[in-house]
Amino acid sequence: MPSRAPRVLIVEDQIMLGLQLAAAVEDCGCEPVGPLSLVTTALPVALRESIDAALLDVYLIDQTVDPVADVLVRRGIPFAFVTAYSRRHLPEALQSRPCLNKPFTDHEIKSLISTLTGTA
């Protein structure tokens, strides 16, 4: 367990939902990184920042979140998808990842964040 608060990357293109996710991350005692709404801004963060977990929307303004997910897989960083789409819209290799469908409850998102960060 890190001595600092776990950092959770949020990649979400709906600003109000991104802010709701950031508030839930903070409520779980974690530090939100984002929300970021574009792959072009999220990818450098995923590549270089100290991140403990991530919440990813599948379809963003500029493209799918796949490049960010691929980096997180390579880095061994746990993540989940938060999306209005079903699992079948995910790349086959990522369909077993945790997935929370929109709309979700505060309890559901906080439970997911706690599971990802080990802060339960």
Side-chain angles (χ1 to χ4, degrees):
M1 182 69 114
S3 57
R4 60 170 171 70
R7 300 183 79 222
V8 180
L9 173 63
I10 302 166
V11 182
E12 171 59 60
D13 62 354
Q14 296 177 34
I15 190 63
M16 293 308 291
L17 184 54
L19 294 173
Q20 179 186 357
L21 291 171
V25 166
E26 288 179 337
D27 287 348
C28 291
C30 301
E31 177 187 343
V33 179
L36 303 172
S37 60
L38 302 169
V39 169
T40 54
T41 54
L43 196 54
V45 173
L47 282 164
R48 296 184 190 95
E49 293 282 328
S50 174
I51 303 292
D52 299 294
L55 300 171
L56 308 177
D57 188 7
V58 175
Y59 293 101
L60 303 172
I61 295 168
D62 56 348
Q63 62 180 306
T64 67
V65 78
D66 298 1
V68 176
D70 291 343
V71 166
L72 297 173
V73 168
R74 284 198 309 272
R75 290 187 64 192
I77 297 171
F79 65 92
F81 294 103
V82 180
T83 182
Y85 294 91
S86 70
R87 284 185 185 278
R88 63 185 171 81
H89 288 92
L90 301 175
E92 192 171 333
L94 299 175
Q95 288 182 359
S96 64
R97 291 283 172 169
C99 186
L100 183 59
N101 284 98
K102 300 173 187 175
F104 50 81
T105 67
D106 281 348
H107 175 75
E108 288 171 325
I109 193 64
K110 289 176 183 177
S111 177
L112 178 61
I113 293 164
S114 294
T115 298
L116 290 172
T117 60
T119 58

